[in-house]
Amino acid sequence: MDIKNLVSQMTLEEKAKFCSGADFWHVEGLPRLGIPSVMVTDGPCGLRKQAGDTDHLGLNASVTAISYPTGSCVACSFDRDLLRESGEALGDECQAEDVAVLLGPAVNIKRSPLCGRNFEYFSEDPYLAGELSAAYIKGVQSKNVGTSLKHFAANSMEHRRMTSDSVVDERTLREIYLPAFEKSVKEAQPWTIMCSYNQVNGDFASENHRLLTEILRDEWGFEGAVMSDWGAVNDRVKGVPAGMDLEMPGPGTANTEKLIAAVQAGDMKESDLDTAVERILGFVYKYAENRKPDTKFDHERDHQKARRMAAESMVLLKNDGLLPLAPSSKTAFIGKFAAEPRFQGGGSSHVSCYKVSGSVEAGEKYGVTYAQGYDTKTQEPDEALIAQAVEAARSAENAVVFIGITDAMESEGFDRKDMKIPACQQRLLEEVVKVQPNTAVVVECGSAIEMPWIEDVRAVLYAYLGGEAVGPAIVDILFGEVNPSGKLAETFPLRLEDNPSYLYYFGEADRTEYREGIFVGYRYYDKKNLPVLFPFGHGLSYTRFAYSGLTLDKAEMKDTDALTATVKVKNVGDRAGKEIVQLYVADDESTVIRPVKELKGFAKVELAPGEEKTVSFTLDKRAFAYYNTDLADWHVETGSFTVMVGRSSREIELTAKVRVESTQPVKKTYHWNSTVGDIMADPKGAQMMGQMMQAMNPLAGAGPQEGQDESQAIMAGDAMAAMMNYMPLRALVMFAGGSAEAAAGIQQLIDGLNA
Ligand code: BGC
């Protein structure tokens, strides 16, 4: 379709109207020119196509679809192929239901465990979130259905989400909150991006030129359209030239009139409207011209897919040998979530599912017994339910207590107040472990919780919100049909107060300062060397893996080269299983404040008992770089880096060193307040300073040691040298007698270095 030509035939009024939706879920069409109206639908972990009454809060019914595990769950699979596969399944569902754009994936960073929407987001780590997001987008879009990467940007809190201002410094934005978007755009080109509700550094995301045009399009090369989150538009006339093409939902009649008036008054260029409409028609025609109306949507097949995805993602956090349970053992399932699982989040991602399979039903084949234990409508303990549960636990060989957060406590639209489970569940657990030493816990909720009871139970399986087939997936793992292989995509702190955002999270009124900066998640806990409940990347298996032979293909490289790291991983247990091999990079010495280590690679490998595989990673400049705000670019400081490979962020098995040389010199300017240390750190400075010091000889008596020249001796290891390091050049003149010659010598040094 010749879109430019089409737009040239549209009137000003038609174009302005096109910049908001036709209704809650449709983009405008224009029969006069044969332009179809297409549908967009939530996303991200199932199709919420509303055929009747519409809303964006998950209230009204939608067509029957599959509820897949939510973002926080599938992220723990660390499996790009699985994410791609889920995208493909969702793409097929969209084709079958005639949906042009699926509203997802959601890639905001988990800044605090309290964010009500953490269940939908992937990780606290931007590299992991970006890799998984790109895979998902490629999967959906391979079916000629678009995605809407959301919520752009710095939307890590639900509290006052439509008005709050995320105040984030540039380096933190670039290193933590933007990379998942950047990676998705550069690698997978989502057809659309959804701007977030909040303000970012004083400008609403929906009218933020820097975000939507300078960074997204000019820097990253985004080719698609930007749509607003539902109701995110603040000033529409400012939004269009900022790069916000489509207001949702529609119709935005009042804003359409404002756009027309702005063009007529000369306050906005008509060409800005043309650009927005061209971008919208871009995805409309991509879909319309590649429709696959014959696509079949097989509910039962996809239900099984959801089950496999859940089993691949859940995380076995603790196991002292209780799991897997012997199929013949007498096991009691306790807790309402065992029968009626919590498997999806509340809000716009809420799916009307095909069928929900709980653990009690799935456990029938193992003869499990069941006791409800608590009511999900109240936090208060019910003594009668607890007594029944205690009895069931006592008369079994093992108890599995199903706990979690309820819908009322965790949802889109508001944040949690704490990281606790309901009081009734806590009490139940306390009573059960008194009578049954063989107690395992299954947790169903969207984000991290505190576990003050961790020492009292023998095993913990974290199911997250595992989608509609969560029950059989849990039972598969409990009884050893499936060997667990998920690892945490977020740190579980011991207590909420340990979280780095704790002091600032809700902010003051609408101002939320991200004061912890780049120290989000493990970047913070590692730097502070704090104990955590479970570290990022942690997850157990029923088999064991041994790591050996970490090899780097270079000992030295330029930052323009790529480094290949290989490592051998062997299954040394007696069951087949999958291991998630994690690669972290640390800058050994840096003049900028950096995390102890950062995830820069991961791979999921399947190994039969005794089998060994070589896993290979490629590291480019970004793996070693930090964002340099003076250069407005990524920068690697020349020096030594450690490549670490391990089974979690706190279980590093092997390390190797590489020296990386920067090809991007940072120009330093020297002046009278540059310190002796600054000068000595510059090779040319050290040489010139050496000569000058010899001439000035301000520290008589500090004779050279073996292997040192005189200037090095002056600088070497004593207190005087340490003090000298911080001495500005102007003071040096004074210590050298304050003569005009000394001053001239220093000036010469400065000029020489700046030349
Ligand atoms: C959510 C979006 C969602 C939209 C449409 C908003 O409330 O923030 O993620 O796509 O509604 O339902």
Side-chain angles (χ1 to χ4, degrees):
M1 180 56 62
D2 183 350
I3 289 174
K4 270 194 189 306
N5 178 32
L6 211 53
V7 175
S8 73
Q9 298 173 54
M10 291 167 77
T11 64
L12 172 61
E13 289 70 18
E14 285 168 344
K15 287 185 287 196
K17 196 163 175 235
F18 238 87
C19 290
S20 69
D23 60 25
F24 222 84
W25 301 118
H26 288 86
V27 178
E28 278 289 348
L30 190 56
R32 180 176 80 77
L33 294 175
I35 300 175
S37 161
V38 300
M39 185 173 203
V40 303
T41 281
D42 283 305
C45 50
L47 202 63
R48 190 171 70 95
K49 177 183 169 181
Q50 291 186 320
D53 289 342
T54 51
D55 71 273
H56 64 299
L57 301 171
L59 303 174
N60 292 304
S62 47
V63 299
T64 301
I66 304 300
S67 160
Y68 293 97
T70 68
S72 63
C73 182
V74 283
C76 298
S77 73
F78 279 69
D79 189 338
R80 298 173 184 88
D81 294 341
L82 195 77
L83 267 289
R84 187 180 166 114
E85 207 188 309
S86 79
E88 287 166 359
L90 284 160
D92 277 341
E93 291 185 18
C94 288
Q95 281 289 358
E97 290 287 350
D98 197 6
V99 168
V101 174
L102 186 68
L103 304 176
V107 299
N108 297 93
I109 291 297
K110 294 179 208 264
R111 178 180 173 226
S112 162
L114 297 183
C115 175
R117 219 165 174 179
N118 275 358
F119 73 86
E120 224 173 320
Y121 298 148
F122 289 128
S123 181
E124 68 187 24
D125 182 83
Y127 175 78
L128 176 60
E131 290 289 308
L132 299 180
S133 162
Y136 171 103
I137 294 169
K138 285 182 200 163
V140 175
Q141 295 190 171
S142 71
K143 302 294 179 177
N144 297 319
V145 169
T147 52
S148 198
L149 178 66
K150 66 192 187 181
H151 310 86
F152 192 58
N155 178 198
S156 291
M157 183 174 81
E158 289 298 280
H159 173 77
R160 299 180 74 91
R161 66 170 170 166
M162 297 185 78
T163 49
S164 72
D165 183 10
S166 300
V167 181
V168 198
D169 70 84
E170 181 70 7
R171 184 174 163 210
T172 301
L173 264 182
R174 298 294 189 150
E175 291 189 19
I176 305 292
Y177 294 98
L178 295 185
F181 291 100
E182 180 186 2
K183 175 75 171 198
S184 306
V185 167
K186 288 183 173 168
E187 206 181 297
Q189 278 294 347
W191 291 8
T192 77
I193 282 188
M194 187 189 293
C195 75
S196 57
Y197 284 125
N198 52 292
Q199 307 176 55
V200 182
N201 293 329
D203 261 332
F204 276 95
S206 60
E207 58 201 46
N208 200 312
H209 187 268
R210 183 162 153 63
L211 272 181
L212 303 184
T213 296
E214 290 161 46
I215 294 179
L216 180 62
R217 293 182 159 110
D218 300 347
E219 272 187 45
W220 299 346
F222 176 59
E223 294 162 3
V226 174
M227 70 173 78
S228 74
D229 199 342
W230 269 233
V233 166
N234 175 60
D235 180 339
R236 190 67 188 108
V237 176
K238 196 175 162 196
V240 170
M244 216 298 284
D245 308 304
L246 174 64
E247 175 178 10
M248 287 304 286
T253 314
N255 279 338
T256 302
E257 280 164 18
K258 280 187 195 162
L259 290 177
I260 295 167
V263 172
Q264 283 168 344
D267 295 336
M268 201 184 105
K269 289 185 290 191
E270 188 163 354
S271 60
D272 285 337
L273 267 191
D274 294 349
T275 305
V277 179
E278 281 165 20
R279 289 177 184 148
I280 296 166
L281 290 182
F283 75 79
V284 167
Y285 277 100
K286 248 191 207 170
Y287 175 72
E289 289 177 344
N290 298 288
R291 268 291 277 138
K292 298 208 167 8
D294 298 335
T295 311
K296 292 280 170 296
F297 178 3
D298 183 335
H299 287 86
E300 189 50 43
R301 180 200 61 199
D302 288 356
H303 183 78
Q304 294 311 327
K305 248 185 210 161
R307 170 180 180 166
R308 193 162 51 77
M309 279 172 67
E312 291 279 331
S313 306
M314 290 174 192
V315 188
L316 182 61
L317 291 177
K318 173 177 178 172
N319 185 20
D320 74 356
L322 180 64
L323 301 183
L325 301 170
S328 57
S329 63
K330 199 163 174 248
T331 300
F333 279 4
I334 292 169
K336 190 155 187 197
F337 285 156
E340 292 171 36
R342 176 136 189 274
F343 62 94
Q344 68 171 330
S348 59
S349 65
H350 197 95
V351 173
S352 298
C353 7
Y354 161 58
K355 67 175 176 190
V356 183
S357 307
S359 296
V360 172
E361 180 193 328
E364 270 168 16
K365 66 175 174 177
Y366 299 108
V368 302
T369 56
Y370 168 66
Q372 183 183 325
Y374 55 82
D375 187 354
T376 45
K377 295 203 177 59
T378 168
Q379 292 240 17
E380 291 310 308
D382 179 321
E383 297 307 330
L385 289 179
I386 291 177
Q388 282 165 15
V390 166
E391 208 29 59
R394 199 198 314 268
S395 49
E397 290 167 65
N398 319 296
V400 183
V401 182
F402 288 69
I403 60 170
I405 302 294
T406 61
D407 280 323
M409 294 166 72
E410 176 187 56
S411 166
E412 174 182 337
F414 59 89
D415 288 329
R416 283 195 292 167
K417 303 275 175 290
D418 55 40
M419 291 175 66
K420 300 187 190 323
I421 54 169
C424 54
Q425 299 186 13
Q426 170 94 20
R427 254 296 302 289
L428 171 71
L429 194 52
E430 283 164 9
E431 296 306 320
V432 167
V433 296
K434 280 184 197 159
V435 302
Q436 181 47 268
N438 296 329
T439 297
V441 168
V442 171
V443 190
E444 294 177 358
C445 71
S447 59
I449 59 168
E450 289 165 359
M451 301 183 188
W453 37 262
I454 188 74
E455 297 303 331
D456 305 331
V457 301
R458 292 191 58 193
V460 178
L461 175 65
Y462 220 77
Y464 277 100
L465 298 179
E468 63 177 57
V470 68
I474 288 171
V475 169
D476 285 347
I477 290 179
L478 290 178
F479 287 93
E481 282 283 317
V482 169
N483 190 351
S485 62
K487 300 217 183 195
L488 288 181
E490 64 186 307
T491 310
F492 278 39
L494 283 166
R495 351 166 274 154
L496 171 65
E497 291 84 344
D498 292 347
N499 178 264
S501 74
Y502 180 74
L503 293 173
Y504 325 108
Y505 181 66
F506 292 108
E508 292 167 340
D510 276 331
R511 189 174 168 85
T512 303
E513 297 182 17
Y514 285 42
R515 288 200 208 172
E516 68 283 2
I518 57 170
F519 292 101
V520 173
Y522 68 88
R523 287 169 169 76
Y524 172 80
Y525 301 111
D526 282 1
K527 193 81 175 181
K528 297 269 292 187
N529 200 11
L530 283 179
V532 295
L533 179 59
F534 294 111
F536 176 85
H538 167 78
L540 304 173
S541 164
Y542 295 150
T543 187
R544 287 172 296 115
F545 301 97
Y547 287 66
S548 66
L550 172 61
T551 312
L552 307 183
D553 73 339
K554 302 175 187 68
E556 292 188 6
M557 63 185 275
K558 293 205 164 60
D559 63 3
T560 43
D561 296 338
L563 178 74
T564 303
T566 49
V567 65
K568 289 188 190 131
V569 186
K570 186 172 185 180
N571 183 345
V572 292
D574 52 11
R575 294 176 64 108
K578 292 182 183 173
E579 171 70 331
I580 296 163
V581 184
Q582 298 159 48
L583 184 148
Y584 298 84
V585 173
D587 191 344
D588 294 338
E589 217 181 298
S590 174
T591 63
V592 292
I593 297 166
R594 297 194 67 173
V596 174
K597 59 178 170 307
E598 298 180 89
L599 184 76
K600 297 296 172 184
F602 61 86
K604 193 163 191 174
V605 258
E606 183 165 16
L607 294 164
E611 190 183 6
E612 182 172 72
K613 278 184 185 159
T614 299
V615 184
S616 142
F617 302 92
T618 305
L619 302 178
D620 61 10
K621 177 179 171 182
R622 274 297 275 274
F624 304 97
Y626 69 97
Y627 191 82
N628 182 312
T629 49
D630 291 334
L631 295 174
D633 199 359
W634 296 89
H635 180 246
V636 178
E637 264 192 331
T638 296
S640 164
F641 290 79
T642 302
V643 174
M644 310 171 169
V645 172
R647 50 186 97 237
S648 89
S649 62
R650 292 242 168 135
E651 283 170 289
I652 298 302
E653 297 295 321
L654 301 163
T655 61
K657 300 260 183 206
V658 60
R659 188 184 152 76
V660 186
E661 188 85 36
S662 171
T663 55
Q664 188 186 22
V666 180
K667 174 93 183 96
K668 284 208 186 101
T669 309
Y670 295 98
H671 42 75
W672 282 87
N673 272 317
S674 296
T675 64
V676 171
D678 293 343
I679 305 287
M680 294 303 285
D682 182 325
K684 190 172 163 204
Q687 192 204 359
M688 290 177 74
M689 182 73 122
Q691 290 161 359
M692 200 186 75
M693 291 291 233
Q694 253 168 348
M696 286 161 58
N697 193 18
L699 298 170
Q705 311 275 312
E706 206 187 337
Q708 289 182 322
D709 64 27
E710 185 146 2
S711 71
Q712 282 171 325
I714 292 167
M715 288 299 151
D718 56 10
M720 181 60 87
M723 230 149 55
M724 284 291 288
N725 253 337
Y726 303 139
M727 180 87 66
L729 295 178
R730 66 175 157 74
L732 205 58
V733 176
M734 195 257 291
F735 285 113
S739 69
E741 277 155 282
I746 297 281
Q747 187 61 57
Q748 229 178 350
L749 172 81
I750 294 173
D751 294 344
L753 284 173
N754 286 338

